[in-house]
Amino acid sequence: MTTMAQEKAQEPALDVTAPPQGAAVSAIRRHELAAFLRHRREHITPEQVGLPRGSRRRTPGLRREEVAHLSAVGVTWYTWLEQARDIQVSVQVLDALARTLLLDPSERAHVFQLAGAVDPTPATSCASITPSLRAVLDQLEPIPASVQNSRYDILAYNRTYGLLLCDLEEVPAEDRNCMILSYTNPEWQSSIVHLADAQRTMAARFRASMAGHLAEPTWKTLLKRLRAESEDFREAWERHEIVEHRGKRKEFRNRYVGRVTVDHTDLWLGPQVGPRMVTYLPADEESRRRLERLHEIAVEKAEQRAGRTAEERAGGKAAAVR
């Protein structure tokens, strides 16, 4: 017969260092999200979001109802969010809150991670995109150049690249991805001379790259979107072809300067799974002259946009004064 002391000794010890699981993790994330949103709300002034301060405001930050109104969500719902209630938060609401609270890219990523959600926009920032690298992109003009990650998100580009296949400034941030553009954007597609071959190659490269990211939500979201929006992609994807990245001669049909022939080169900025600089070197003198002209057009369009932006800002300030 065992004694009570012996039975006690046989019981498994409680591991107080074990990490929280399941519901406990969700609760921790909800409280962290609530605290973060509340802190940001309290440190955004009314003037920063275009609201009058008023004479009765006792705190320098925004009120909950103001955040809710600016984000187009219910006041009660937003209050529950700051109270860490167990509610479902859509990516659209998270996106609206991130914009209202003026979150920078790191803060935005933090909010989506705490909410257990996938940011619908592609990566628009990267540690490798330094001011010096942006200067390199500009110095390469009129050679079209961009920086892309392994998921084909376009992280940065110079003006010539921005006008080579379509006007990238007119493309929503969430669509600035070469896979999406190649399979769903008519203007981008019409600029590729050998479109079917290009699409098939990109699908094969995407499959090869995705092997190392099968469990990542952003990759699965992109794949789901491509399969839903493009029959051509579904057909190419089902081929199960694999192609590694390598340089290739390409031909584009630009709407401003006509046909150009270029040599595509990937310059890796780190490990091969990371970001890379994509360059298109003109393959002949005629292509060089046309790219030089395209660069001139891109500069003119950038100056026109800057002028319109300045006028809009001036108009907004005048309206606020009235």
Side-chain angles (χ1 to χ4, degrees):
M1 177 179 287
T2 59
T3 65
M4 184 178 294
Q6 289 173 325
E7 291 177 353
K8 191 72 174 177
Q10 292 172 359
E11 293 178 359
L14 176 63
D15 185 1
V16 295
T17 64
Q21 300 294 327
V25 173
S26 297
I28 292 172
R29 285 183 172 179
R30 290 199 306 272
H31 281 85
E32 286 291 327
L33 178 60
F36 184 79
L37 293 176
R38 184 165 55 251
H39 180 272
R40 288 297 299 160
R41 172 176 62 81
E42 293 172 350
H43 288 78
I44 297 292
T45 65
E47 292 84 355
Q48 286 179 280
V49 294
L51 295 176
R53 174 168 293 278
S55 58
R56 297 184 178 181
R57 186 179 295 271
R58 296 179 180 179
T59 59
L62 298 177
R63 302 185 181 97
R64 283 176 175 170
E65 56 267 27
E66 291 172 332
V67 173
H69 173 72
L70 291 170
S71 304
V73 300
V75 177
T76 300
W77 188 93
Y78 179 75
T79 300
W80 287 350
L81 190 57
E82 279 201 7
Q83 291 174 346
R85 300 275 189 103
D86 188 3
I87 57 177
Q88 294 295 321
V89 190
S90 71
V91 294
Q92 291 80 10
V93 167
L94 290 173
D95 177 68
L97 290 174
R99 296 175 187 275
T100 297
L101 297 175
L102 308 178
L103 302 186
D104 64 27
S106 297
E107 293 168 334
R108 178 187 175 95
H110 182 63
V111 163
F112 274 85
Q113 185 175 23
L114 289 176
V118 178
D119 193 338
T121 63
T124 55
S125 64
C126 174
S128 300
I129 309 299
T130 63
S132 296
L133 182 55
R134 291 186 183 277
V136 170
L137 290 174
D138 292 339
Q139 288 297 315
L140 285 172
E141 303 271 22
I143 295 173
S146 67
V147 176
Q148 302 172 18
N149 61 17
S150 55
R151 202 171 55 245
Y152 284 100
D153 294 326
I154 301 173
L155 306 177
Y157 53 91
N158 61 19
R159 287 173 293 194
T160 310
Y161 182 91
L163 215 58
L164 181 62
L165 290 102
C166 74
D167 191 342
L168 274 178
E169 291 297 311
E170 300 295 331
V171 175
E174 62 269 22
D175 292 343
R176 289 181 191 172
N177 174 284
C178 291
M179 292 293 296
I180 292 174
L181 292 167
S182 295
Y183 279 99
T184 68
N185 185 289
E187 184 179 355
W188 187 282
Q189 292 172 329
S190 66
S191 297
I192 301 175
V193 174
H194 306 290
L195 178 62
D197 289 342
Q199 289 177 328
R200 184 171 174 177
T201 299
M202 289 190 69
R205 287 180 176 176
F206 183 65
R207 181 178 283 278
S209 297
M210 191 170 181
H213 306 273
L214 294 174
E216 296 182 23
T218 50
W219 285 76
K220 292 192 290 186
T221 298
L222 176 57
L223 177 60
K224 181 179 179 181
R225 177 180 176 182
L226 287 166
R227 296 184 72 167
E229 297 184 9
S230 174
E231 181 179 352
D232 290 335
F233 175 80
R234 291 195 299 272
E235 292 178 358
W237 187 252
E238 292 306 319
R239 292 176 181 270
H240 289 268
E241 294 176 330
I242 299 296
V243 175
E244 295 299 329
H245 285 272
R246 59 178 179 269
K248 183 179 180 181
R249 179 156 292 187
K250 297 186 176 183
E251 293 179 276
F252 299 128
R253 189 184 301 106
N254 183 267
R255 65 170 174 169
Y256 295 103
V257 298
R259 192 160 176 150
V260 295
T261 304
V262 296
D263 289 321
H264 168 206
T265 302
D266 288 321
L267 304 174
W268 299 96
L269 304 180
Q272 204 167 24
V273 296
R276 68 189 188 281
M277 181 181 292
V278 178
T279 61
Y280 291 128
L281 190 70
D284 52 61
E285 285 303 314
E286 183 60 31
S287 294
R288 179 178 296 278
R289 286 193 292 270
R290 292 182 178 183
L291 286 178
E292 289 173 350
R293 176 55 186 151
L294 182 62
H295 175 238
E296 294 173 357
I297 296 172
V299 171
E300 293 171 1
K301 291 181 72 68
E303 292 174 347
Q304 292 171 0
R305 282 197 179 96
R308 288 198 300 268
T309 301
E311 291 176 359
E312 290 170 358
R313 288 176 179 173
K317 290 180 179 179
V321 171
R322 291 196 296 271

